[in-house]
Each structure stands twice: as C-alpha cells, then as structure tokens.
C-alpha cells in the first residue's frame, strides 16, 4: 500500500489471511476481486481512513493469504467458507459488527457474509456483480465470451492452472486492459504485484478452485436461500460500470437493482463511470460514494 500501511498475516481456524488495517472510526472491510489483491484498495483505503477503520484483506487463495487444501474439505473455496474467514478476521482485529464492501469475487464473499451472518453485517456494498446463481441462470453467448474466467477457471484441473501459470502476464494484460478500464489506472508496481500473485502454482490452483465452487456449491447455496426466502437484512448498495456488461445485459429485467431487490428490501445504487475496475480508475469518486453510504447522509471525505 502506498502509505506503507503495516500488513499482518492473521492465523484463523481454517486459513491464514493477510490484511492491512488503517484509519479510525466505524469498521469497514474491503474485499478485492480477480485478478487483484488487497492492493486494489490502495487509494480508496487512504481516502476512507479519515472516517473509518479500514481493513483490506486478501481472500483465501489470493495474494499473501494461505491456500487451504480441498482434499480434506471439498467446500474449502465456497463463498460460505471464505465468508467465515472474514468474520473470524474481523473478530481478531477487534470487531464483532462491521460494514463490508466487495468488488467482483469479493462482492460474492460479501453478500454471502450478509446472508450467513446477518446479525454481524451492518451495511453491504457490492461492486459490479449480480448474485452468482442469477449470473449462471442468465448465462448466454455474451456471458461465455466476456466472462471467460467463469468457464475457463472452472474446468477440471490441471488445464486452467497450467494455462495461467504459463502466461500470468497475458492474463493480467487481458483483464486489466480488456474489461473496459484504462490501462493507466494500474501503476507498473501494482501490475507487477498482480502478475506475481498469478505466478504461484498453489495460489493459481486455489483461485481455480474458487471459480469451480462458484459454478457448483455457491449456486446451490444461493438456490437454497431463494427457496427458503432468506434475504439480506442490512442496507445494500449496488454499483456497476455504466459501460460494462451489467448495464446492458439485464435491462429487460429492470437492471442490476431489480435483481438485487429480489434478495433485499433495502437496496439502492446506480451505474458509475469507468470499466469493471472502476474503484482503481476512479478511486475518489468511488470512495466518496462509499463514504456517503457507509457513513450516512452528509458524510464527506
């Protein structure tokens, strides 16, 4: 992180999770997506630290966090297991109740936290996603071509692992430059860090296992919640790229807000400037929007 914020590896019951903690105020957990790490929040964390205690974590299997084996636990990379990590992490930091914002894969962990641990999550923000089972149920040729990690990384091992480890730079280049965001949003040192994170075979295998879980057990968990009419109790903010897939694909159904309102009665949100990585493209705008939601009306940075 640019501010030289101290990071620590926290030993939890099933994994070791790397996280940074900075700032003062109500606790706010920030979760990254693919192919990023906690570094994606580098500018936003600095801005929000004036109002919140900001915790930026690497999901299990990503960044500097550990890679639990699926041999003894086939559900190790379900969002339910990853959500449990974050509940334990925040307790270690000293917070039993907190707010959470997740981008991309982190958003899937974040909304699972709100469903499985409703009494602990005070507010939830999800960035550029719709629920996992909703995504798969509406998948078409556009989905297969644009969201290639969903299908490629979910293939049986070791094919996707070998492909990614063999060309991590190509994966990073295609994602950062091909998903609607400007390449200038990623400083060289950050891009190098993302490439390095995709160069370790154990972490790449873990990431693929996470995508395999999204195509299987995560869908089942979502479907079970839908059948049980289980909803997210806390206020929800949904933001998505105005030029990205979510702004177009679900328009006939009322857009992303309509899908999220099937999961919560307290949803607000809108499309924002930038591509899929809009938090890195427009950190101040994103931070200000998050501050108003998490801090309440009139909260300014």
């Amino acid at each position: 992180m640019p501010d030289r914020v101290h990071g620590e590896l926290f030993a939890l019951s099933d994994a070791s999770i790397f996280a940074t903690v900075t700032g003062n105020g109500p606790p706010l957990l920030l979760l990254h997506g693919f192919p990023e790490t906690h570094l994606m929040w580098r500018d936003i964390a600095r801005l929000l630290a004036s109002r919140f205690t900001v915790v930026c974590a690497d999901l299990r299997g990503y960044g500097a966090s550990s890679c639990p084996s699926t041999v003894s636990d086939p559900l190790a990379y379900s969002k339910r297991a990853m959500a449990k990590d974050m509940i334990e992490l925040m307790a270690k930091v000293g917070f039993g109740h907190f707010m959470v914002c997740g981008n991309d894969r982190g958003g899937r962990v974040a909304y699972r936290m709100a469903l499985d641990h409703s009494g602990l999550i005070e507010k939830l923000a999800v960035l550029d996603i719709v629920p996992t089972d909703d995504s798969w149920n509406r998948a078409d040729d556009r989905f297969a071509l644009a969201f290639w990690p969903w299908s490629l990384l979910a293939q049986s091992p070791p094919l996707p692992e070998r492909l990614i480890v063999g060309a991590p730079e190509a994966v990073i280049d295609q994602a950062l430059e091909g998903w609607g965001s400007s390449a200038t949003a990623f400083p060289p040192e950050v891009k190098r860090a993302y490439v390095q994170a995709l160069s370790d075979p154990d972490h790449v295998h873990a990431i693929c296992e996470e995508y395999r879980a999204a195509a299987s057990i995560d869908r089942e968990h979502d479907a079970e919640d839908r059948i049980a009419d289980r909803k997210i109790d806390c206020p929800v903010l949904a933001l998505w790229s105005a030029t990205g897939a979510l702004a177009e694909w679900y328009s006939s159904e009322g857009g992303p807000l309509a899908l999220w309102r099937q999961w919560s009665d307290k949803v607000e949100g809108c499309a924002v400037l930038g591509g899929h990585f809009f938090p890195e493209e427009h950190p101040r705008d994103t931070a200000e929007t998050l501050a108003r939601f998490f801090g309440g009306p009139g909260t300014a940075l």
Side-chain angles (χ1 to χ4, degrees), residues 86-224:
M86 297 304 144
I87 295 296
E88 292 185 15
L89 168 69
M90 293 303 282
K92 283 260 187 179
V93 176
F95 301 112
H97 298 79
F98 55 93
M99 301 172 289
V100 58
C101 172
N103 175 70
D104 188 79
R105 313 309 290 178
R108 303 186 186 287
V109 176
Y111 85 76
R112 177 47 54 189
M113 294 168 68
L115 286 166
D116 287 358
H117 307 275
S118 60
L120 306 184
I121 307 303
E122 297 175 348
K123 291 185 178 182
L124 163 69
V126 286
L127 309 188
D128 217 36
I129 67 164
V130 297
T132 302
D133 195 43
D134 289 326
S135 296
W136 279 112
N137 286 340
R138 292 161 175 80
D140 55 15
D141 55 341
R142 298 172 303 176
F143 180 96
L145 293 172
F147 287 3
W148 56 266
W150 286 62
S151 53
L152 173 60
L153 303 190
Q155 297 299 312
S156 299
L159 175 62
E161 286 91 339
R162 292 178 66 182
L163 292 174
I164 294 176
V165 171
E169 298 91 346
V171 175
I172 295 298
D173 286 343
Q174 201 285 336
L176 301 191
E177 299 174 15
W179 293 350
S181 295
S182 170
T184 60
F186 310 96
E189 64 274 16
V190 171
K191 187 175 178 180
R192 284 195 296 271
Y194 291 163
V195 170
Q196 182 179 5
L198 283 185
S199 300
D200 176 65
D202 290 339
H203 280 81
V204 170
H205 175 65
I207 291 169
C208 291
E209 292 287 77
E210 186 260 299
Y211 272 87
R212 291 174 186 125
S216 55
I217 189 62
D218 291 342
R219 295 189 66 187
E220 294 177 20
H221 290 159
D222 279 5
E224 290 168 0

